Amino acid sequence: MDIQHIRYFLAVTKHESFSKAAEELFVTQPILTRCVKNLEKELGVQLIERSTKHFALTEAGQLLMRQGNQLLQQHRDIYRQMEDMAGGQSGELRISGPGVLLDMYFPRLVTQFRKAHPGVRITIRESGTRTVVQDVLDGGADIGLVMLPLADPEHLQIIPIVKDEIHVLVHKDHPLAKQKTVNIRQLEGLDLITYNQSTTLYHAFEKLCKQAGFSPVIAYQSMMPGFILDILSYGDCAGVFPAPMLRQANKPELVSIPLEPQFPWQIAMITKKGRYVSNATESFLTFTQNFLSKMA
């Protein structure tokens, strides 16, 4: 059984589409279709239902999808262990994380890491928190970047890397700008901007407001730091964001005020428990912890 055919089959199951899988794999759709049919012929079973308009796996297809993901991960691990045994500073590192976290912490970090480890190939995938966790569990990423807490951390190794606070960001002429702290109840009725509903921050903030007895007026939801800071610069609304956002921006017209009650901003890297950790992955985990500890 050709491992490449397994990889092709898994891409089709992920996208539930031959055409989308072909685009990801940079092959033509006829080649992909032929490989899957050859796999079915070799195994003597049908893997994909062809009697329905919607994509569906047969029972055999579902089994191969589960076992195939494990096989593909074992295949990758073999090569990584061989690279590590050779003692070289090479290897592959796949990182998955939300764009806002990558934007906030990783540009200089990754650049410095590559200078220290030029042989390590780095691939970064921008995803929402739920997708990040699934990427790590499925073997699509070696390291995930997430905001804590996680809903189901049982199968994950969690490495905290940043601890800060959520602040209220406003224009310097905003009525809240002169305060040393902003109580959550003072946000009632104000137009607010924060991250979108795919983030842990959004749901945690919404829950905090409801505990204070009101529903927040979310005028804007965005994951684009530039857009967020520009909106705040026009004085249109107040923002609820991690304190580092303004610290790293050149926006003297904006002020950042701690929110009460304290609202922690905790960022962690995650890996899957029990999975082989390559030298490249281990080096990045250590490098990141040291790098960010100096910024604290």
Side-chain angles (χ1 to χ4, degrees):
M1 186 163 35
D2 192 329
I3 194 70
Q4 188 75 325
H5 290 179
I6 298 293
R7 184 177 287 110
Y8 284 179
F9 170 75
L10 292 175
V12 172
T13 64
K14 181 177 75 172
H15 292 287
E16 297 187 349
S17 164
F18 278 86
S19 58
K20 291 180 180 178
E23 289 178 12
E24 178 187 293
L25 297 166
F26 300 103
V27 299
T28 64
Q29 187 173 334
I31 289 176
L32 191 56
T33 302
R34 186 166 60 250
C35 285
V36 173
K37 286 184 176 178
N38 288 341
L39 189 57
E40 289 180 320
K41 184 177 179 180
E42 181 182 356
L43 296 173
V45 292
Q46 185 176 330
L47 300 172
I48 299 173
E49 291 281 4
R50 293 179 175 83
S51 59
T52 171
K53 292 182 180 180
H54 303 290
F55 183 89
L57 294 174
T58 64
E59 187 176 353
Q62 293 172 7
L63 175 62
L64 183 59
M65 180 180 69
R66 293 192 298 270
Q67 299 294 334
N69 277 312
Q70 295 179 23
L71 180 63
L72 209 57
Q73 186 59 51
Q74 291 171 355
H75 185 261
R76 293 191 191 105
D77 286 348
I78 288 172
Y79 278 93
R80 291 180 178 194
Q81 291 179 55
M82 294 303 108
E83 286 177 341
D84 289 348
M85 288 182 68
Q89 291 297 312
S90 62
E92 180 186 13
L93 177 62
R94 298 161 303 154
I95 303 169
S96 180
V100 290
L101 299 186
L102 294 169
D103 182 80
M104 197 175 297
Y105 298 109
F106 269 48
R108 191 156 67 93
L109 188 158
V110 171
T111 301
Q112 294 297 322
F113 179 81
R114 287 193 64 207
K115 288 180 180 178
H117 304 271
V120 176
R121 303 179 302 279
I122 301 176
T123 302
I124 298 177
R125 177 181 176 182
E126 183 181 342
S127 306
T129 298
R130 291 181 181 177
T131 305
V132 171
V133 171
Q134 203 57 50
D135 283 346
V136 171
L137 293 176
D138 291 344
D142 305 300
I143 295 172
L145 187 65
V146 296
M147 179 182 173
L148 299 178
L150 294 176
D152 185 14
E154 180 183 357
H155 301 292
L156 297 169
Q157 182 72 34
I158 299 175
I159 306 104
I161 53 173
V162 174
K163 187 173 183 180
D164 215 304
E165 292 181 347
I166 298 298
H167 279 202
V168 176
L169 276 59
V170 293
H171 190 275
K172 62 184 180 181
D173 295 328
H174 192 280
L176 297 176
K178 304 300 182 183
Q179 297 188 191
K180 292 184 177 180
T181 62
V182 174
N183 188 279
I184 187 73
R185 291 183 176 84
Q186 292 180 272
L187 299 181
E188 183 175 4
L190 296 183
D191 285 342
L192 303 173
I193 179 171
T194 191
Y195 294 146
N196 67 32
Q197 296 181 49
S198 70
T199 63
T200 304
L201 169 58
Y202 180 95
H203 296 287
F205 174 63
E206 187 178 49
K207 181 179 179 181
L208 192 65
C209 290
K210 288 181 178 178
Q211 289 173 346
F214 70 97
S215 294
V217 180
I218 308 295
Y220 304 99
Q221 299 176 36
S222 178
M223 301 295 284
M224 298 183 290
F227 173 82
I228 291 166
L229 293 169
D230 283 346
I231 286 287
L232 292 170
S233 294
Y234 293 131
D236 188 43
C237 58
V240 180
F241 293 104
M245 173 175 279
L246 188 55
R247 291 190 201 127
Q248 297 174 15
N250 183 25
K251 290 286 184 180
E253 70 275 21
L254 299 181
V255 295
S256 178
I257 313 157
L259 182 64
E260 288 186 341
Q262 281 193 347
F263 189 168
W265 169 256
Q266 294 177 287
I267 304 304
M269 293 184 293
I270 57 172
T271 60
K272 184 178 180 181
K273 287 181 180 177
R275 178 174 294 156
Y276 174 75
V277 178
S278 68
N279 279 350
T281 301
E282 190 65 56
S283 295
F284 188 83
L285 293 172
T286 302
F287 184 92
T288 300
Q289 288 174 291
N290 291 337
F291 184 92
L292 293 177
S293 68
K294 294 173 184 177
M295 293 176 60

